[in-house]
Amino acid sequence: MRGGVRKLILDLLRPAAFFSSIYQIDLDRLQKRGIKGLIFDLDNTIVEWGSPVAGEELLAWFKALRERGFLSCLLSNNSPARVNYFAGRLGIPGIYKAGKPRRRSYRAALELLGTAPQETAIIGDQVFTDILGGNRLGLYTILVTPLSQREFLGTRLVRRLERLVLGRWLGRFNGT
Ligand SMILES: [Mg+2]
């Protein structure tokens, strides 16, 4: 029973793949898996938190994604102004104030892309929002290292909580 609960929780939090940055993502592997749609977190995934700049490298990479036939969108808990700005720069749709990990916003993203969950990946830097929400809907989940240590105060607190809670769970499940 406990093993089952443990597996359920860990499976929901575990990313299917991990890369040090979006530029390291193995696009060939994604296409071989049948992935057609890419849902991107914004802050600390494709740009540093608080950064107002979409650099040349980022623009070129999204252009390459488009040329490969990937459909992309942004899914962010941040404000309309910030999300719309980057969506416009990248030439992709964006969903703001998403309320991740709630499933509703992921469903809206799937609808925007027109892809099924099993042919869609979510790429983000946070386990408890990006990855958890993606796993709940059966997306292919990709965790990347946060671009910056700087982030929303609430996020910093959540990260501490994540470590604390995960540690407790693991401790309990290990019978200590
Ligand atoms: Mg993020």
Side-chain angles (χ1 to χ4, degrees):
M1 181 66 178
R2 271 195 175 176
V5 172
R6 172 189 176 183
K7 188 177 182 313
L8 185 70
I9 293 168
L10 292 183
D11 281 354
L12 281 173
L13 295 175
R14 183 184 299 123
F18 171 79
F19 295 96
S20 57
S21 92
I22 54 170
Y23 304 111
Q24 304 303 316
I25 293 172
D26 186 340
L27 298 174
D28 290 330
R29 203 172 98 195
L30 287 187
Q31 287 186 311
K32 275 184 201 135
R33 291 190 68 94
I35 300 295
K36 299 186 172 88
L38 304 175
I39 301 172
F40 287 92
D41 171 51
L42 176 60
D43 291 293
N44 274 343
T45 295
I46 67 169
V47 291
E48 290 187 13
W49 182 79
S51 165
V53 181
E56 288 305 317
E57 186 184 20
L58 186 69
L59 296 176
W61 192 72
F62 271 86
K63 185 165 175 270
L65 289 181
R66 196 158 37 236
E67 285 167 359
R68 272 177 174 258
F70 284 111
L71 298 162
S72 304
C73 74
L74 296 179
L75 182 66
S76 170
N77 289 353
N78 213 325
S79 68
R82 184 164 171 78
V83 175
N84 287 341
Y85 170 76
F86 282 102
R89 291 288 282 144
L90 299 170
I92 61 177
I95 295 172
Y96 50 80
K97 293 201 174 302
K100 291 175 286 183
R102 286 162 59 200
R103 280 171 290 191
R104 193 171 65 179
S105 64
Y106 291 79
R107 293 201 186 103
L110 289 171
E111 208 155 297
L112 272 181
L113 296 175
T115 54
Q118 65 274 12
E119 54 188 22
T120 309
I122 168 92
I123 296 129
D125 70 300
Q126 288 194 61
V127 168
F128 267 46
T129 55
D130 306 309
I131 302 305
L132 172 60
N135 282 338
R136 289 176 78 195
L137 276 189
L139 307 187
Y140 187 70
T141 50
I142 301 174
L143 185 70
V144 294
T145 307
L147 282 174
S148 163
Q149 294 302 308
R150 288 186 60 226
E151 50 197 359
F152 178 55
L153 173 63
T155 305
R156 290 213 302 270
L157 296 174
V158 167
R159 286 201 195 278
R160 281 187 204 175
L161 193 64
E162 283 175 2
R163 285 194 288 269
L164 186 70
V165 170
L166 273 174
R168 283 192 174 183
W169 280 342
L170 292 172
R172 189 188 306 157
F173 292 132
N174 288 337
T176 55

